[in-house]
Amino acid sequence: MKLVWSPETASKAYIDTVKSCESFKESSVAELLSALAAGWNAKLIVEAWSYGGPIATSIGLAVAARHTCGRHVCVVPDERSRLAYVKGMNESAGISATEVIVREAEEAMAELVGVDFLVVDYKRKDFVRVLRFAKVSNNGAVLVCKNACQGNNISGLRWNAVLERGTRVVRSVFLPVGQGLEMAHVGSKVKGEKNLKNSPTRSRWIKHIDQRSGEEHVFRGKFRAEVD
């Protein structure tokens, strides 16, 4: 199954987030992520918040969850972070219904099965573990790493290296919004060999461009169609 985009829902969430984040000087990230989460009709929106970070994105995700009738869950590593997060949400937007899970990354993500939209702060030391242990929805999911320009992350996030083995990255992109957003659309996990074994074999032309030399290579490859 594939994600289905709803421009109407995205627009509503965007406008509501603009209103809710009027007091923030830079809320472009919050507005964009809110629109994306709502537009993809995300039912389980998970956020890995970093202590001391701004709360605007959290407000935007909460707004998106309201429009999709979904859940907005925030994952924090300790009680200090939980208290700061809850206080920030209450003081900034008067939002108190957001679920907060205080766990190590692996334990927290194990509880959240079927993630549709995940936002991780690059400033978190365990941001890779949050991504790796994410249990994405069978319909696919959108994964976002914000503050991607921080530290030495100048060569781009290698999604296949940080995600759980078997996760299929459909498309990835870097957006120069805020402090940088690394985004990836992932599909359901690759089907097992048992399902592919009896599926029909097809062939198609495949184009590959060498990132270093710029040379274009075209070859004919065979693949097996997935059988549901």
Side-chain angles (χ1 to χ4, degrees), residues 16 44 119 151 163 223:
D16 285 351
L44 179 53
V119 179
L163 297 178
F223 68 98

Side-chain angles (χ1 to χ4, degrees), residues 116-158:
D116 297 304
F117 199 90
L118 172 63
V119 179
V120 183
D121 194 335
Y122 181 79
K123 293 180 179 180
R124 282 185 59 136
K125 295 180 180 180
D126 61 348
F127 84 96
V128 171
R129 294 174 59 209
V130 174
L131 292 169
R132 180 161 298 164
F133 294 115
K135 308 299 181 184
V136 301
S137 167
N138 288 331
N139 298 334
V142 174
L143 310 180
V144 181
C145 182
K146 68 177 186 177
N147 293 317
C149 293
Q150 297 293 320
N152 297 319
N153 187 32
I154 59 177
S155 60
L157 184 63
R158 296 178 176 83

